[in-house]
Structures are given as C-alpha cells and as structure tokens.
Amino acid sequence: MLQIDKLTRRFGDKTAVSAASFTVREPAMIGIIGRSGAGKSTLLRMMNRLIDASEGKFVFDGLDVTALTGRDKRAWQSRCAMIFQQFNLVPRMDVVSNVLHGTLNRRSTLATMFNLFPTEDIHRAVDILARLGIAEQAAKRAEALSGGQQQRVAIARALMQDPDIILADEPIASLDPMNAQIVMDALRRIHEEDGRMVICNLHTLDTARRYCDRVIGMRDGRIVFDGTPEQLTTGVARDIYGAGADFSEAATSTAIETLDRQTGRSKVPA
Ligand SMILES: Nc1ncnc2c1ncn2[C@@H]1O[C@H](COP(=O)(O)OP(=O)(O)OP(=O)(O)O)[C@@H](O)[C@H]1O
Ligand SMILES: [Mg+2]
C-alpha cells in the first residue's frame, strides 16, 4: 500500500506541492494531470527521492520512504523506477547496454566501468526488449532509434530493475500520436500483466481517461481531484485547468483519439 500524507515541497517562497495526500491500496494505473507548473513533476520526484520533501510523509508497504538515506535510499530508487519525457538514455551507447544500466544499483563500480554484464542479465534485457517489440534494435546505438523506440528502451531499462512502481513523467510529451499510443499501451500492459503500479504525469485529459484507473488532478500544488475517469467531468476539468483555461492544452480531443477514430479502435487492448 502506498500512502502519501501531506507531502509538501517548497522552493524558496514558492510552494510547488502543498500538503498532497492520497492512498493507493492495490497496484493501479494512476494518471496525474494538471497545467504546467501545477506540481506534477515535483510530486513524482519526491516519491522517487530525487528531491526531498519539505514536509509530510510517503510510506510504501510500511517503509517510510521520506526518511531513507544512503544505501536504503538507493535501494528504494531501484524499486521505484522513473521514466522521463526526454528518455534519458546514453545516446551513443547501444540499446542493450542502456537497458542493462537498469541493474546499476546491483553492480560493482569496476564491473560498471568496464561494461561487464552477466550473461543472464543480457538475456533478460533482450527478453524485455522483445516484450516491448524492439528486440531487433538491441545492437543499435540508442540515438539511431525513433522517439517511440527510445522511450520503449527507457521502459525496458526501468523493467530491468524489476520495480514495484514505475513513475513516468510526461512519457509521451515528445512523441507523435502513433508512438504515444504504443508507449501508453506498453505501460498499461506492464501494469496489467505484471501487476506493477504505474503513476504517470500526463498533459492531456483524454490520455489519462483512456489509460488510467484513477486520475489525480493538481492545481497550484494542491490535489483538487482524485477519482475515476468517469468522475472526471468537464466541470471538474475546469477546476483542474482553471476557468479561463485554454482547453486545447487539456485537449478534449487528443491526437491519440483522432488516431483511434482513424484506425477504428475504441478500447485499450488487454
Ligand atoms: N528546482 C526548482 N527550483 C525552483 N522552483 C521550482 C523547481 N522545481 C519546480 N519549481 C517550481 O515549482 C512549481 C511546480 O513545478 P513542476 O515542475 O512540479 O510542475 P509540473 O506540473 O510538472 O509542470 P509541467 O507540466 O510544466 O512539467 C513551478 O512553479 C516550478 O517553477
Ligand atoms: Mg513536469
């Protein structure tokens, strides 16, 4: 069980996240939505301990994540994988080595320096790439892949950690609609097949509605909505994005949906 209790982060005078609280009782796929600057990234970064909370607590299966230091904190970061908008791969390194870097926390500095990976890890990396439909790219440099392929490599690297949670910060913001759909499908499948918790910051309402079991809306650092996609009405969306919001950003009809209409698809594949 995941419990976020009044988690707060200040940067000088600015409160980026203000007393955010929510509980997740069983692995779910959760979308966090809100305008630019709402505090979505800051919330995820506190959960992964990339940044420290100013106040409040984050407890996962009885473990007080906010209190961890040193080795325990690194161990947590390996249970809680993070995926970013810009993929954060090593561009000139081959795909399989990028994926193997997901095991970094487990390996000695010397082995890392010389890129020495156990054979079983290499097999596992290739299996994970195959699962994501990109095994044939394994030997290529990461920079030679398309954005959607690179993001799948980043997901493969995350899976290599065998994480309990995957945190994805705007994983499709740099992708075209077709690749956005492939990446969101992959995250959804990982949640359903592996039972992993996936928490995903998303810019557009409809992606959250379509892929997530639960949606959390943030505005000015506060959680202003927490419910099912069905409860996310236009009125609620206005609360989240602000009355005068340009709904083109919130995208009542996203590119993914347009693509769905074109391809005649209406449901997330199981
Ligand atoms: N390191 C930092 N130093 C100072 N202010 C920061 C820092 N990180 C975030 N902020 C501020 O905190 C607020 C929340 O930022 P955050 O990046 O969490 O928003 P976001 O919802 O992820 O936005 P976006 O959709 O643009 O990614 C913003 O006002 C931002 O300027
Ligand atoms: Mg952000």
Side-chain angles (χ1 to χ4, degrees):
M1 184 164 88
L2 177 155
Q3 261 175 302
I4 303 264
D5 185 21
K6 299 197 185 75
L7 211 55
T8 298
R9 172 69 202 210
R10 284 183 284 272
F11 294 105
D13 295 342
K14 170 87 197 169
T15 305
V17 173
S18 178
S21 299
F22 62 91
T23 299
V24 189
R25 289 180 205 287
E26 49 201 54
M29 179 138 173
I30 298 175
I32 301 181
I33 58 169
R35 306 171 74 148
S36 184
K40 306 180 295 295
S41 296
T42 305
L43 180 60
L44 287 200
R45 293 164 74 87
M46 282 192 282
M47 292 174 71
N48 179 264
R49 292 296 312 275
L50 279 171
I51 55 171
D52 292 332
S54 307
E55 275 165 42
K57 215 166 157 179
F58 167 32
V59 178
F60 186 82
D61 283 349
L63 178 75
D64 183 353
V65 175
T66 23
L68 300 175
T69 56
R71 181 193 295 255
D72 294 337
K73 178 170 130 179
R74 284 193 297 280
W76 167 252
Q77 286 172 329
S78 127
R79 290 176 66 187
C80 177
M82 193 115 180
I83 293 164
F84 302 90
Q85 175 179 347
Q86 293 306 336
F87 326 130
N88 293 13
L89 303 175
V90 184
R92 302 173 73 84
M93 195 188 272
D94 63 81
V95 164
V96 81
S97 299
N98 266 285
V99 175
L100 284 159
H101 273 238
T103 59
L104 272 188
N105 282 340
R106 300 208 309 261
R107 293 166 55 240
S108 73
T109 319
L110 209 62
T112 305
M113 269 171 60
F114 291 100
N115 259 356
L116 302 172
F117 298 103
T119 318
E120 61 187 68
D121 278 1
I122 297 172
H123 285 302
R124 204 159 78 80
V126 173
D127 285 347
I128 293 172
L129 287 168
R131 185 178 177 201
L132 292 164
I134 45 171
E136 68 281 9
Q137 315 293 338
K140 290 190 189 157
R141 281 186 183 189
E143 63 190 357
L145 270 54
S146 75
Q149 291 170 331
Q150 289 193 45
Q151 192 60 294
R152 281 183 280 165
V153 175
I155 294 172
R157 182 182 56 190
L159 286 177
M160 202 64 200
Q161 296 176 213
D162 194 18
D164 294 318
I165 309 186
I166 295 179
L167 301 179
D169 195 356
E170 311 259 8
I172 57 169
S174 310
L175 302 179
D176 61 73
M178 179 72 90
N179 276 305
Q181 184 174 300
I182 291 171
V183 164
M184 288 307 296
D185 284 350
L187 288 172
R188 179 77 211 178
R189 215 153 42 80
I190 286 161
H191 161 63
E192 285 180 358
E193 293 174 3
D194 303 359
R196 293 180 217 269
M197 188 168 329
V198 176
I199 305 184
C200 206
N201 282 350
L202 295 164
H203 243 94
T204 58
L205 261 177
D206 280 308
T207 313
R209 271 209 190 102
R210 178 179 157 76
Y211 285 97
C212 300
D213 312 309
R214 176 170 167 188
V215 181
I216 290 175
M218 292 187 74
R219 183 177 177 181
D220 298 332
R222 296 181 184 279
I223 293 179
V224 294
F225 173 78
D226 183 353
T228 61
E230 293 74 36
Q231 292 166 329
L232 192 60
T233 58
T234 311
V236 171
R238 264 200 203 96
D239 277 352
I240 299 169
Y241 289 96
D246 171 8
F247 264 80
S248 61
E249 186 192 36
T252 356
S253 174
T254 62
I256 289 187
E257 291 216 320
T258 310
L259 194 73
D260 283 343
R261 276 195 294 277
Q262 285 163 0
T263 56
R265 237 180 62 162
S266 58
K267 279 211 317 267
V268 181

